[in-house]
Amino acid sequence: MQEPLLGAEGPDYDTFPEKPPPSPRETTRLGALQNKRVFLATFAAVLGNFSFGYALVYTSPVIPALEHSLDPNLSLTKTQASWFGSVFTLGAAAGGLSAMVLNDLLGRKLSIMCSAVPSAAGYALMAGAHGLWMLLLGRTLTGFAGGLTAACIPVYVSEIAPAGVRGALGATPQLMAVFGSLSLYALGLLLPWRWLAVAGEGPVLVMILLLGFMPNSPRFLLSRGRDSEALQALAWLRGADADIRWEFEQIQDNVRRQSSHLSWAEARDPHMYRPIVIALLMRFLQQLTGITPTLVYLQSIFDSTAVLLPPEDDAAIVGAVRLLSVLIAALTMDLAGRKALLFVSAASMFAANLTLGLYVHFGPKPLTPNSTMGLESVPLGGTEQPLATPTSYLTLVPLLATMLFIMGYAMGWGPITWLLMSEILPLRARGVASGLCVLVSWLTAFALTKSFLLVVNAFGLQAPFFFFAAVCSVNLAFTGCCVPETKGRSLEQIESFFRSGRRSFRR
């Protein structure tokens, strides 16, 4: 006899309950246990993002130090410095490309663990570097690890998290990347550049130790026919006393419907390509806001503008603001919704980039020549600019505008782009498509980071900021017409939404 209404949503449809419903206090206790285990697994995974954020901005304090190095084998020219700053993104693109295979071949967890090998090797090369080739190779390897984790970790987190906390947990990859960057800025005030590379090894080792005890994604295990392991993994994540029957059957049904390999004919189906195109465009537009060149050359940008505080202090302050902003986004994402934060984020970045461009063009220039990279070889904005005085409050504008830009990015287009990528991609294409998104993202980042110095020297520092402001206005329109609101929806509900061809969950 078939059990009545098996798998229907909610406890109200349990026709023959085996035990009375739990009290509110018991429900709270079970939910806390469930979330604790998910939080632990998420923390173990996102340590990879910490290392990624740390490695991304490694050049910010290191390039100025190497430009003044007394060792001729390590002293950097402008061209060498631009390669040292941008080659990370080429490695990240290669990491995203490898994730297209590894994500579905080894699984999300093992792919994350594999990233520890190039990461540790890269830091070791930079710590012991005695020539430019070791610096570039080390930077490329840490970039490769970053690209691999950027594709795998958001998918792993979204697949193990309950719908009620997936928004908050989906922000943790960006949160930990920001925390890694802030740690680098802070340590850069205390440690020489070689010891900064040594310090980067710590989070990699801790990630390997913790992640080895965590379960794999139940959805991945089911897709490989390992049903018993998937059930055990879900039971561990949700707690021994949690009723996981309905959730397991829902995931199992969705996986079975998509058990075959994706064909090119199916890839042309709107329900399949539409979420992939949205995710790809979001990663493309995310990079075009200028976040990567801004972070990579942050201290050097402050060196090239009239600032009230020392550039290295400004960089640390911006890192702290970025961390606070991601924390706010994580706490409000499941309350305010994804689209509202994306609108606020794009508007803030537009205002900040426009302000920076106008300040560089019309504002004061530094009293002394650029102390590090020399982003520009001509005076900023022409010869009519007034000289800045060390105590002029007008020189706070670059810091405040950069803080607004970083705050806007970190509250929306930073974490939500990662989250939506893992939420909206169809299960059958999730591994490959997430790798493709990272590949597109970091190829775009490489093009921007490598061309940033060329554009600055040719047209002035204001030119890239005006371009970034124009892109942010495009992001506003894209959010309004193309991005769905996924707040409070399960991954299966989101996939059904795209399959139905609707443009809103409300219809």
Side-chain angles (χ1 to χ4, degrees):
M1 178 178 175
Q2 184 179 4
E3 184 175 346
L5 298 175
L6 179 64
E9 289 191 46
D12 295 336
Y13 292 96
D14 193 355
T15 310
F16 303 110
E18 298 178 1
K19 56 183 179 180
S23 65
R25 179 177 296 181
E26 185 179 358
T27 301
T28 302
R29 182 183 65 82
L30 292 177
L33 177 61
Q34 166 185 329
N35 290 342
K36 280 181 181 178
R37 291 185 172 185
V38 172
F39 291 162
L40 178 61
T42 299
F43 174 74
V46 298
L47 282 172
N49 292 109
F50 179 96
S51 183
F52 164 73
Y54 187 96
L56 175 64
V57 300
Y58 178 74
T59 53
S60 183
V62 174
I63 285 178
L66 289 179
E67 284 193 320
H68 294 93
S69 174
L70 299 178
D71 186 345
N73 294 321
L74 293 174
S75 182
L76 298 181
T77 64
K78 286 184 186 180
T79 302
Q80 290 171 338
S82 71
W83 274 109
F84 188 44
S86 60
V87 76
F88 178 92
T89 58
L90 279 183
L97 190 63
S98 68
M100 295 171 65
V101 177
L102 296 179
N103 230 343
D104 290 328
L105 181 65
L106 300 180
R108 290 53 159 144
K109 189 185 88 166
L110 284 180
S111 297
I112 299 168
M113 295 178 73
C114 284
S115 71
V117 177
S119 183
Y123 283 126
L125 279 169
M126 289 188 290
H130 52 74
L132 178 63
W133 72 269
M134 294 183 72
L135 291 172
L136 294 179
L137 180 58
R139 187 94 171 118
T140 304
L141 287 173
T142 54
F144 181 90
L148 184 57
T149 56
C152 300
I153 293 175
V155 175
Y156 177 75
V157 172
S158 71
E159 290 187 347
I160 67 173
V165 295
R166 197 177 61 246
L169 292 183
T172 54
Q174 180 71 9
L175 177 65
M176 288 298 284
V178 170
F179 188 47
S181 297
L182 177 60
S183 299
L184 187 282
Y185 290 138
L187 289 175
L189 300 174
L190 305 172
L191 298 177
W193 64 271
R194 290 187 187 275
W195 282 102
L196 286 177
V198 173
E201 302 276 11
V204 178
L205 298 177
V206 176
M207 179 192 74
I208 284 290
L209 291 175
L210 286 180
L211 204 55
F213 295 99
M214 298 299 113
N216 214 322
S217 159
R219 287 173 175 83
F220 168 77
L221 293 172
L222 282 171
S223 70
R224 290 294 176 266
R226 296 152 64 180
D227 292 23
S228 60
E229 291 181 56
L231 185 60
Q232 290 174 1
L234 189 62
W236 186 89
L237 289 165
R238 302 297 182 256
D241 297 326
D243 185 0
I244 60 172
R245 290 177 302 167
W246 178 81
E247 183 180 3
F248 184 76
E249 288 169 3
Q250 187 185 36
I251 297 172
Q252 194 174 44
D253 179 64
N254 189 49
V255 170
R256 282 174 179 169
R257 282 192 282 108
Q258 305 186 61
S259 57
S260 61
H261 291 291
L262 183 67
S263 66
W264 283 110
E266 291 173 307
R268 292 195 294 268
D269 193 308
H271 88 268
M272 191 64 68
Y273 72 71
R274 186 179 159 213
I276 295 175
V277 170
I278 291 174
L280 283 171
L281 286 175
M282 287 196 73
R283 294 306 294 258
F284 180 65
L285 291 172
Q286 178 198 47
Q287 287 295 341
L288 286 182
T289 62
I291 184 63
T292 301
T294 299
L295 291 176
V296 168
Y297 301 120
L298 183 60
Q299 187 169 321
S300 300
I301 289 172
F302 285 137
D303 278 327
S304 295
T305 55
V307 288
L308 185 62
L309 300 174
E312 59 272 17
D313 292 347
D314 287 332
I317 291 171
V318 168
V321 169
R322 189 176 170 214
L323 178 63
L324 177 63
S325 302
V326 178
L327 279 172
I328 294 172
L331 295 174
T332 59
M333 202 176 295
D334 285 318
L335 298 175
R338 282 57 157 162
K339 292 190 71 167
L341 290 177
L342 286 173
F343 279 124
V344 172
S345 172
S348 300
M349 290 190 292
F350 171 79
N353 278 317
L354 185 61
T355 301
L356 277 169
L358 292 173
Y359 175 85
V360 172
H361 190 68
F362 296 108
K365 62 181 180 179
L367 282 171
T368 58
N370 198 20
S371 61
T372 55
M373 281 196 63
L375 288 179
E376 290 189 281
S377 56
V378 294
L380 302 178
T383 58
E384 300 300 322
Q385 293 169 286
L387 291 175
T389 59
T391 57
S392 173
Y393 288 106
L394 183 62
T395 60
L396 284 174
V397 171
L399 174 60
L400 295 177
T402 306
M403 287 169 61
L404 178 62
F405 171 74
I406 294 296
M407 182 181 297
Y409 176 84
M411 287 186 65
W413 276 85
I416 294 178
T417 303
W418 292 43
L419 172 62
L420 277 175
M421 180 192 77
S422 61
E423 284 185 326
I424 67 177
L425 292 177
L427 178 62
R428 292 172 65 186
R430 194 169 293 159
V432 173
S434 62
L436 182 61
C437 287
V438 172
L439 175 65
V440 168
S441 175
W442 289 110
L443 285 178
T444 307
F446 170 75
L448 286 175
T449 309
K450 191 70 181 73
S451 61
F452 184 82
L453 298 181
L454 300 176
V455 172
V456 168
N457 285 322
F459 303 104
L461 185 56
Q462 69 274 13
F465 289 120
F466 286 144
F467 172 76
F468 299 150
V471 171
C472 292
S473 66
V474 174
N475 289 10
L476 283 168
F478 179 81
T479 301
C481 67
C482 299
V483 179
E485 178 57 74
T486 59
K487 181 184 72 171
R489 309 288 176 178
S490 69
L491 297 182
E492 287 67 35
Q493 287 173 322
I494 295 170
E495 194 155 331
S496 296
F497 160 75
F498 281 107
R499 193 177 296 275
S500 69
R502 292 177 296 165
R503 293 192 171 273
S504 171
F505 279 103
R506 296 192 180 99
R507 272 171 42 186

